[in-house]
Amino acid sequence: MTTFCLPFRRLAYHLVALALIVFSATIAQGADLVIRDFKLLPTDQTAINSATMKKDQNGKTAALIKIYTTLNENQTYFDNGVMGIVHRENQPGQIWLYVPARSQSIQITNRNYSPLRYVFPEEIQSGKTYSMHLTTEGKVVNLVASLRSAPIYVDGDSVGVSPHEIYLGYGEHEVRAQQGMMLYQGVINVSQHGPTRFELPMEDESKKYSDVTVTVPGNADIYYEGSKVGVGEWSRRLLGGTYSVEIKKENCEPQIISFIATAGQPTYVECPALVPYRGYLSVEVNPSTGARIYEGDTIVAENRLSKLVTAGQHTYDFYRKGYESVRKTFKVLPNSEIVDTVVMQRIQYINPNSLYGDIAFTYGPAYGVSAKIGGFYSNFNLELGYTLGLGRSGEVYWYENDGSGAYDGSCTYTMDELTAKVGYQFSFLSRLGLTPRLGYLGQRLRGGIHGNGAMCHNITVGARLIFKPIPYFGIFIEPEYAVPVMVNKLYSDISSHGGFSKGGFYVSAGLSFSLSL
């Protein structure tokens, strides 16, 4: 009995081991998930590097398996049975899986595929680094484009140049080969019994495109696929087909223009001018006669503006003889009516706020040339002046005042004047102004051997009457009467012998130049 059982047990053991190997290989090669290129990396020190090393539950250095995969790392799980997984780290494009030494297999699950149990082909050693590729079931195929060395892209990723051999999972894959304007783009189906060589015939894409130029008058904005792409003109290369652009401009009705891009030849699209929105503008002018209305250099109306205009801003100039010109801008809204009135003001030749300078001839007890400066503020007037005397007095004889009565000599004198005046201006007509004034007049003698600088101080009452033919230039006359209030004795003696008066009547006439404030 014993001699019979021993060979039977050995035979059963070998049969079970063989079945286990065949079963594990069948699972590894027949499931949706596939392990490829499992190998030891003898020079890779990651597993024992102090920064990346991990210890298992027994304190021994774990082995590291670098798993390269295109699967979603967060949806892929690993199980090592009773020995357990020591640690896992998701790295870009790979997963670092730390396992105990002498691990025999791992269970891999992903909700999109059938689970896979993979039996390691060699004993896992402590502190060693391994690598393997986790992919889906597939096969190696050869991709051959019609242009040698053309770059090839599979499922959006660059894989190399033609011809190119690559492992692809079963199923459909998007493949693109492109060099310049030569392009192949399509889908290949990799199957277990299908071909292993796929031809990628490339075509000249320039024959599928059209150079499109869109123009629109008036510098309107051009929109394509919701984005502004040009102003007045836009050019782009487009695949042959039907397209549309939207044309927009402020205060105009937008338009959508459709066109056909003809493959292999240029396409020119000339859009019509946009139709502007319109509104009505009605403007009265006060005074209502004699006014001319300009737009730029063109007269567009007289006395009243009434017209249909495009929406937006319009500027007009209003002119009337004897009145200040008016420039006004009107903003016309679409489909609206703007009603307004322009009030024109007479030109103020006699300005209540101004500075002026006068040159005059002054005639009185002595005559001379006068220069004056002054100003008006709210019609209140202040003026300062100086008159250079030109007329000479009669001969004045001088004798010694020591009792001897000896003759000392004779001389003549001129009289200069200093003035300061205040008043208030009245304007009875647009060009005529009258300013009653009070002031100070200082009469000063000049010349001779005695009495040089003698003074007579006066209070004056007078008025300034001015006529202005144009706004900044006028002709004036100023009569005034001076009453002496303080007379130097020497002045009094000289004036009585030389023919000068104390105070008296004066009149000045001359030209005035003014500047408005």
Side-chain angles (χ1 to χ4, degrees):
M1 186 68 177
T2 301
T3 58
F4 173 78
C5 290
L6 184 57
F8 179 78
R9 288 178 179 175
R10 289 179 179 174
L11 179 60
Y13 174 78
H14 289 297
L15 288 175
V16 171
L18 179 62
L20 181 61
I21 294 174
V22 172
F23 178 73
S24 63
T26 302
I27 291 176
Q29 297 297 323
D32 290 332
L33 297 175
V34 174
I35 298 297
R36 304 181 67 244
D37 300 329
F38 182 91
K39 60 185 176 182
L40 172 67
L41 303 176
T43 60
D44 193 323
Q45 304 293 310
T46 308
I48 57 174
N49 188 291
S50 59
T52 54
M53 179 177 61
K54 304 295 179 184
K55 297 287 187 178
D56 64 15
Q57 60 185 1
N58 297 317
K60 294 184 178 181
T61 302
L64 170 60
I65 304 175
K66 294 183 177 180
I67 303 172
Y68 298 89
T69 183
T70 58
L71 300 179
N72 188 317
E73 299 163 351
N74 295 322
Q75 296 179 358
T76 305
Y77 304 94
F78 301 89
D79 183 35
N80 195 21
V82 296
M83 300 192 72
I85 301 298
V86 174
H87 182 71
R88 167 184 170 159
E89 291 182 13
N90 289 343
Q91 302 285 345
Q94 59 181 288
I95 300 170
W96 286 10
L97 196 68
Y98 291 87
V99 297
R102 307 185 68 179
S103 295
Q104 296 183 356
S105 65
I106 55 172
Q107 176 81 21
I108 306 173
T109 57
N110 185 293
R111 66 182 183 180
N112 298 317
Y113 304 95
S114 300
L116 167 66
R117 176 169 293 278
Y118 178 70
V119 178
F120 298 121
E122 59 183 81
E123 183 178 285
I124 300 300
Q125 302 179 44
S126 174
K128 297 295 183 179
T129 303
Y130 301 84
S131 72
M132 68 181 187
H133 291 261
L134 172 62
T135 183
T136 58
E137 188 178 15
K139 64 182 180 182
V140 176
V141 296
N142 197 14
L143 305 178
V144 182
S146 52
L147 289 181
R148 188 174 183 85
S149 299
I152 296 178
Y153 303 83
V154 177
D155 297 327
D157 296 325
S158 175
V159 297
V161 297
S162 176
H164 184 69
E165 191 174 76
I166 185 174
Y167 178 90
L168 295 178
Y170 293 144
E172 293 184 344
H173 298 272
E174 294 183 359
V175 178
R176 176 167 59 94
Q178 185 171 13
Q179 191 169 54
M181 291 302 296
M182 299 298 292
L183 174 69
Y184 168 82
Q185 190 164 353
V187 176
I188 63 173
N189 189 0
V190 179
S191 60
Q192 184 175 3
H193 302 294
T196 59
R197 178 185 173 94
F198 291 91
E199 300 289 341
L200 311 178
M202 303 173 71
E203 298 181 4
D204 187 354
E205 287 296 294
S206 63
K207 296 180 180 179
K208 299 180 181 180
Y209 285 82
S210 173
D211 290 323
V212 176
T213 301
V214 177
T215 58
V216 59
N219 288 327
D221 296 330
I222 303 173
Y223 287 79
Y224 175 69
E225 294 182 343
S227 300
K228 181 179 176 180
V229 293
V231 177
E233 183 173 308
W234 170 64
S235 299
R236 179 173 292 185
R237 174 169 287 186
L238 299 174
L239 279 170
T242 301
Y243 299 88
S244 63
V245 292
E246 186 175 13
I247 311 301
K248 296 181 181 180
K249 189 177 181 180
E250 186 179 6
N251 296 320
C252 293
E253 297 181 10
Q255 291 189 42
I256 295 179
I257 307 297
S258 298
F259 61 91
I260 297 176
T262 305
Q265 64 185 52
T267 301
Y268 298 96
V269 182
E270 295 183 359
C271 303
L274 294 179
V275 178
Y277 292 119
R278 294 184 178 273
Y280 195 78
L281 182 60
S282 178
V283 181
E284 300 285 346
V285 181
N286 185 12
S288 60
T289 59
R292 289 172 297 163
I293 305 171
Y294 287 78
E295 186 173 19
D297 296 327
T298 305
I299 297 178
V300 295
E302 292 186 0
N303 303 325
R304 185 177 184 273
L305 180 64
S306 179
K307 63 185 300 188
L308 186 67
V309 297
T310 58
Q313 292 188 341
H314 296 267
T315 300
Y316 298 93
D317 293 301
F318 298 81
Y319 293 94
R320 190 177 191 274
K321 187 176 181 180
Y323 287 76
E324 299 282 355
S325 62
V326 176
R327 169 170 289 187
K328 192 165 184 179
T329 298
F330 304 91
K331 184 175 182 180
V332 181
L333 301 177
N335 304 318
S336 67
E337 181 179 7
I338 302 298
V339 178
D340 203 346
T341 300
V342 172
V343 178
M344 304 189 71
Q345 303 292 335
R346 284 185 176 273
I347 296 175
Q348 293 296 316
Y349 295 91
I350 305 302
N351 199 310
N353 299 287
S354 63
L355 297 175
Y356 64 86
D358 295 344
I359 298 176
F361 178 79
T362 300
Y363 181 79
Y367 63 89
V369 176
S370 300
K372 306 176 183 182
I373 59 171
F376 291 93
Y377 180 75
S378 297
N379 287 314
F380 285 95
N381 174 230
L382 173 63
E383 179 186 284
L384 299 176
Y386 176 77
T387 300
L388 178 65
L390 300 178
R392 303 196 70 83
S393 68
E395 196 78 22
V396 178
Y397 299 93
W398 290 91
Y399 299 89
E400 293 292 342
N401 195 23
D402 55 1
S404 64
Y407 177 72
D408 189 36
S410 66
C411 62
T412 58
Y413 294 86
T414 59
M415 185 172 64
D416 299 334
E417 298 173 354
L418 300 173
T419 60
K421 302 172 185 178
V422 295
Y424 186 84
Q425 176 178 252
F426 297 91
S427 178
F428 302 104
L429 299 174
S430 63
R431 289 179 169 85
L432 191 64
L434 176 64
T435 308
R437 298 193 294 194
L438 293 175
Y440 163 80
L441 171 63
Q443 298 170 306
R444 182 178 182 274
L445 297 180
R446 172 167 51 86
I449 57 176
H450 300 285
N452 194 35
M455 292 286 296
C456 176
H457 304 280
N458 304 269
I459 297 297
T460 62
V461 178
R464 170 187 169 94
L465 181 66
I466 186 168
F467 172 74
K468 285 191 172 183
I470 59 176
Y472 304 110
F473 172 78
I475 301 171
F476 72 92
I477 184 169
E478 294 182 358
E480 63 182 346
Y481 186 78
V483 178
V485 293
M486 184 182 297
V487 183
N488 181 277
K489 183 178 185 306
L490 192 57
Y491 178 92
S492 179
D493 292 340
I494 295 173
S495 64
S496 62
H497 290 86
F500 288 128
S501 68
K502 305 178 189 67
F505 181 77
Y506 289 83
V507 62
S508 297
L511 304 178
S512 179
F513 303 90
S514 60
L515 177 65
S516 298
L517 296 178

